[in-house]
Each structure stands twice: as C-alpha cells, then as structure tokens.
Amino acid sequence: MSTKTTIMKFGGTSVEDARAFQNVAAIIRSAVANRPVVVVSAIAGFTNTLLASVRQAIEGDAGSATRSLIPDLDRHLAISQQLLGPESRVVFEAAVASARREIRQLHKIIAAHPVTHLPLQDEIVAWGELLSSHLLASVLRENGVAARCVDARRLIRTDDNHGSAAPLPESSLSTRTELTPLIEAGEVPVVGGFIASAPKGATTTLGRGGSDYSAAIIGAALDAREIQIWTDVTGVLTADPRIVANARTIPVLSYQEAAELAYFGAKVLHPKTIQPAIEKNIPVRVCNSRVPAEAGTLIVSESAAAPQTVKAIAHKTGITTVQVTSARMLGAYGFLRALFEVFDRHRVAIDVVTTSEVSVSLSLDNAAALPEVIPELRKLGTVEVEKNRAIISVVGEGLRNTPGIAARIFSTISAVNVAMISFGSSSVNLTFMVDEARVREAITNLHRVCFEAVDGDSALMNQAEEVTA
Ligand code: ADP
Ligand code: ASP
Ligand code: MG
C-alpha cells in the first residue's frame, strides 16, 4: 500500500441523530486524503435496547421484546429520511425491515429455548452495528465520499466465547484481504465495530464498548498511520467528567498509562484497545466529534510521553472483594496456586490481588460465579466477601520516580477507609479499594490536590512538570 491508512472510529454518541451523522460525515470528508477506514458503533442507546429485548424474550415475552425496538428502529428511519436520497433510502428501509423480521424470529426462539440465548443474543445485538454502518456509508455517499459498507464479520475472527469473544490471529490476514483492494481503489470502507465471527461463522461480539477494540484490531492489521477514537468528550480526561465537572484533557499519555486507565474504568477506551496499537507502535488519538478542532489526547510509546507524576484518576464501581485467610499460607508453597486455580476453573477474572502473611485479598469485577467459587475457597481457609466496593486507580508514569507520592495521595483522602493498596507492578498506577458510597468524595478530593491548584500551592502534576523542566 502506498500511503498508510488512518482508522477513524465513531462511538454511539457520535451517531445519535441526523445532525450527528452529518457532523461525522463532514469530519470524514475532510480526512479523505488520509485514506480513512471508518469504524462505527450502533447509534446511541441501541445496544442497551437490544440487550434489554433479549432479557424480555428470555422471560418468555417475545412480542414485547420485539415491540420494545420500535422507537430505536424509527430513529434509524428518521435519520435516513432526513439525510438520504430516495434510492438509498429505499434500500436502507428494506435493511431495517429485515432487521426487524430476523430479530422477531430470534426473540421467538429465545422465548422458547432460553438456555441457548448467548449466541442468539450476539446475532441480535449485531444489528446495532450492521444498521449504523449501512446508514453511515449511505450518508457518506450522499456527501460525495466513495464509501462502502463492509461486514465486520468478514474481517475479525474470534473464538466462540459469545458476548466477550477474543480475536484470533487470522483476523489480520482477513482484514487485509477484504479492505486493501477497496482502499487501493480509493474507496472508504465503513465497518461496524464490536461484531465479529467465530470459526464456524456464528456472529460474536467483543464485549461492551468493543468498537474501540475493533478499530485497534483493524488498525494493527493494516499497519495504520494512526487510530483515531472519536467520542463525545475531548480526549482522555484527568477523571471521569460525570464525577469531576472540571476534569481536563490530558494532552499525551503513554500506552501503559492509557491501558491502566482503561482497565480501571475510564470508559472512553475499551480496556483491550491499546494492545494491538502497542504491537505495531501505532499512535492512538482520542478526539471530540462535537468539537473536532480541539486537540484531544495522543497515546504513544512511553519514551515519547510526557513524564508527569499523576496523569489521571480512574475508578470502577460494582466491585466485590474476597479475602481468604489461612494459617496454612505461612511459609508454605502451593497455597496461592490452589487459590488461583479455583478462579481459573470458574473462568472468573481477578482485577487486583494483595497478600499478607496469612491472607489473600482479591477483587472481582463480575461476581456472578461466586456462589460456586466460595465453597471451594472455604476448603482453603476462611472466606470473607464484601460487595459494593470501588477501585480507584491513580495513574502516571512519573509515579515511579516520585518519593513520598503515596503518602501525599492517602493523606488527601484520610477520611475515607482504604483497603487493598497495590502499587502496580508496572508502577504506573497506585490502586486501592474504597466503599462505593465514598468514591465520589475520594475522587473529587484527589482531583483537587492532583490537578487543581489549592491556596496558591501548585497541584501535584504541575510540581512534577517543574521538576522535569
Ligand atoms: P463512545 O460512545 O464514543 O464509545 P463512551 O460512552 O463509551 O463513548 O465513552 C466516552 C465517555 O467516557 C465520556 O462521555 C465520559 O463520560 C466517560 N469517561 C469516563 N472516564 C473518562 C475519562 N477519564 N476521560 C474521558 N471520558 C471518560
Ligand atoms: N455498541 C456497542 C456497545 O454499546 C459497542 C460500542 O459502542 O463500542 O457496547
Ligand atoms: Mg465506548
């Protein structure tokens, strides 16, 4: 390929209505010279509606399940009415009608056989991205861009872990085989994010928020010049803007900082997005589709990133912690292996682990399997479970080289009970657990001390800048 491609991924909030579609089309049109490959999410809220409809069908009410989709299907039709010419509108309306028909059949099957629902659920939610990619390609053509909708299931191949499938290495070749001829011919491929296919062809999905991951997988396969994530905020911010109103854009992050932030709850990036970018050393840029002129966040390798002490604070609620205590741990070997094997067998992912002489504490994002896990853990020691916990993670490459930083951070939130402190093995994050009810207070205070100057003192981040300047 002569010039490298640029991946441009637009999230659901970037395609919520006709105005947003038009806006996205303008952004893409002005970037046609960069050989864009467009990745798009379902229109805002549609994936939630589709998933809720599956739950209704499982409860046996297939009729209500299908009816619940009418408002969102109508939103698609309204957008096409406003933005498409008569010919492409007829084609799109037929696509919406067939989506409705196929989902109706799937709802009926789920209502009759609820146990088989996961593969069918993927089949249903995929319609979110199938429709948005069709619609965006049509809108782009109305705007004079030679766009072509490409079915992501022909590009990204995964295992058959429905709902949270893992991509297979052959995705690279299939992505190149499908997209390179189009790009060479001057076309702009428009691919639905989030969806993929298993070896036997069944539709799979990459987990909630997975369109970012699709963009990164496609970017790595094409050895793109840049992977752009266009969303509804200006880049990665110093904290979740829903908690800290004056959170600011972070100009530059290292891959590792971005990966830790995403992993510990910064929803702006799917946690797995950074890995494919690291493999090919491709810069990731997070931009605001509503204010495209604003510089967002550039995510690059560590050496190129600015080494400030604290870059951002991430958090994740709904965490369960499990503590296993046993005197058998003292000086013995084999205990930790036995403990982790229990979680392994039940395919339960662990986020944070801390140990003392006689106990191990673990945090879990998804505690659904706990009823089966706990009796097995009891064979190893006494087990205590705490629900409604939150992980807070303070992230920055500069944490490595800043003496006394942990003390300053914890003194800031001394009123809040802190547990399971982990100064990540990467030393790029300082992570700890608080009660969910105190998370807002803790983050607001931390943000004030780290990023907002107090009483004439410069904030932590600025001090670090002065030191390195
Ligand atoms: P999209 O539909 O574009 O994928 P998402 O809702 O998945 O958008 O992600 C963007 C949202 O992530 C923002 O609107 C914001 O509320 C939330 N968010 C949480 N933490 C952060 C952070 N540190 N920086 C930016 N956004 C964040
Ligand atoms: N539409 C999917 C979701 O809502 C994927 C994404 O938006 O990234 O989870
Ligand atoms: Mg997202």
Side-chain angles (χ1 to χ4, degrees):
M1 216 179 285
S2 43
T3 316
K4 286 191 169 188
T5 58
T6 300
I7 312 299
M8 303 179 82
K9 178 262 169 178
F10 294 88
T13 48
S14 298
V15 288
E16 62 187 344
D17 54 20
R19 215 173 120 197
F21 263 86
Q22 201 58 310
N23 194 24
V24 165
I27 293 171
I28 296 167
R29 197 163 67 155
S30 68
V32 163
N34 298 337
R35 294 191 153 206
V37 171
V38 176
V39 176
V40 65
S41 297
I43 66 169
F46 193 30
T47 306
N48 287 345
T49 310
L50 288 162
L51 286 169
S53 80
V54 172
R55 288 193 292 275
Q56 266 180 313
I58 291 171
E59 280 158 19
D61 193 351
S64 305
T66 313
R67 276 193 299 280
S68 72
L69 304 179
I70 293 173
D72 277 340
L73 293 176
D74 284 350
R75 276 166 67 206
H76 285 86
L77 296 174
I79 296 167
S80 79
Q81 241 153 29
Q82 288 175 66
L83 300 182
L84 301 186
E87 274 174 37
S88 45
R89 197 164 81 210
V90 169
V91 178
F92 183 70
E93 283 169 357
V96 172
S98 75
R100 194 184 175 286
R101 240 184 350 262
E102 289 196 28
I103 295 173
R104 173 89 192 108
Q105 290 313 316
L106 293 166
H107 279 152
K108 282 185 185 164
I109 298 171
I110 292 175
H113 312 278
V115 277
T116 59
H117 88 271
L118 269 183
L120 302 184
Q121 171 171 297
D122 274 348
E123 217 51 76
I124 290 175
V125 289
W127 279 106
E129 272 69 11
L130 291 174
L131 290 179
S132 64
S133 53
H134 180 156
L135 186 51
L136 182 56
S138 306
V139 171
L140 282 166
R141 284 194 298 273
E142 297 288 338
N143 282 270
V145 176
R148 185 194 289 257
C149 177
V150 179
D151 190 332
R153 295 172 295 188
R154 299 172 65 88
L155 315 184
I156 303 180
R157 313 286 175 160
T158 65
D159 61 15
D160 59 3
N161 185 14
H162 287 280
S164 182
L168 300 173
E170 53 260 41
S171 304
S172 271
L173 182 60
S174 44
T175 299
R176 280 196 297 275
T177 309
E178 293 287 330
L179 296 186
T180 308
L182 304 184
I183 300 164
E184 291 293 347
E187 290 189 303
V188 174
V190 180
V191 186
F194 181 51
I195 62 179
S197 63
K200 288 186 183 152
T203 300
T204 54
T205 54
L206 302 176
R208 292 308 307 270
S211 296
D212 303 330
Y213 193 23
S214 303
I217 294 166
I218 295 171
L222 298 177
D223 197 12
R225 191 177 61 84
E226 188 168 279
I227 297 162
Q228 298 176 350
I229 306 292
W230 292 84
T231 184
D232 62 345
V233 287
T234 302
V236 182
L237 307 174
T238 46
D240 186 333
R242 290 164 295 187
I243 294 211
V244 179
N246 53 353
R248 312 198 283 258
T249 299
I250 308 161
V252 188
L253 280 173
S254 72
Y255 285 132
Q256 206 179 348
E257 287 170 333
E260 303 278 356
L261 285 172
Y263 186 68
F264 288 113
K267 189 187 171 218
V268 64
L269 282 178
H270 181 276
K272 294 180 187 156
T273 311
I274 297 300
Q275 199 51 45
I278 294 180
E279 278 160 25
K280 290 281 177 71
N281 198 19
I282 303 171
V284 177
R285 196 183 291 276
V286 182
C287 322
N288 191 341
S289 66
R290 295 169 182 184
V291 202
E294 277 185 6
T297 298
L298 183 64
I299 304 166
V300 287
S301 66
E302 184 189 339
S303 50
Q308 289 147 353
T309 307
V310 175
K311 290 275 187 64
I313 303 157
H315 77 285
K316 198 150 82 165
T317 51
I319 302 292
T320 301
T321 58
V322 179
Q323 187 176 40
V324 184
T325 308
S326 165
R328 273 171 53 202
M329 238 186 110
L330 259 179
Y333 56 86
F335 179 84
L336 285 177
R337 197 197 56 205
L339 179 77
F340 288 127
E341 268 174 8
V342 174
F343 289 95
D344 242 26
R345 265 198 304 282
H346 294 279
R347 302 180 77 170
V348 177
I350 299 166
D351 277 341
V352 181
V353 183
T354 56
T355 59
S356 73
E357 284 90 344
V358 290
S359 76
V360 182
S361 300
L362 312 121
S363 81
L364 316 175
D365 206 349
N366 182 350
L370 264 193
E372 289 97 67
V373 168
I374 290 173
E376 292 193 38
L377 294 179
R378 289 223 168 94
K379 294 178 194 154
L380 298 170
T382 45
V383 180
E384 277 173 72
V385 175
E386 281 188 84
K387 296 207 165 108
N388 304 324
R389 309 284 283 160
I391 294 181
I392 296 182
S393 192
V394 178
V395 174
E397 295 273 0
L399 287 173
R400 279 196 244 271
N401 310 316
T402 311
I405 186 82
R408 291 199 56 185
I409 286 172
F410 290 124
S411 66
T412 305
I413 51 167
S414 55
V416 179
N417 209 354
V418 165
M420 288 188 69
I421 298 168
S422 152
F423 197 15
S425 47
S426 63
S427 299
V428 165
N429 73 86
L430 174 63
T431 297
F432 49 90
M433 213 66 61
V434 300
D435 253 352
E436 216 172 64
R438 307 297 294 272
V439 79
R440 187 170 280 272
E441 169 192 351
I443 290 179
T444 314
N445 283 337
L446 281 169
H447 194 271
R448 202 178 48 243
V449 169
C450 292
F451 303 108
E452 302 160 35
V454 199
D455 296 331
D457 271 0
S458 53
L460 261 186
M461 184 174 109
N462 297 335
Q463 281 179 2
E465 271 170 346
E466 281 156 25
V467 170
T468 49

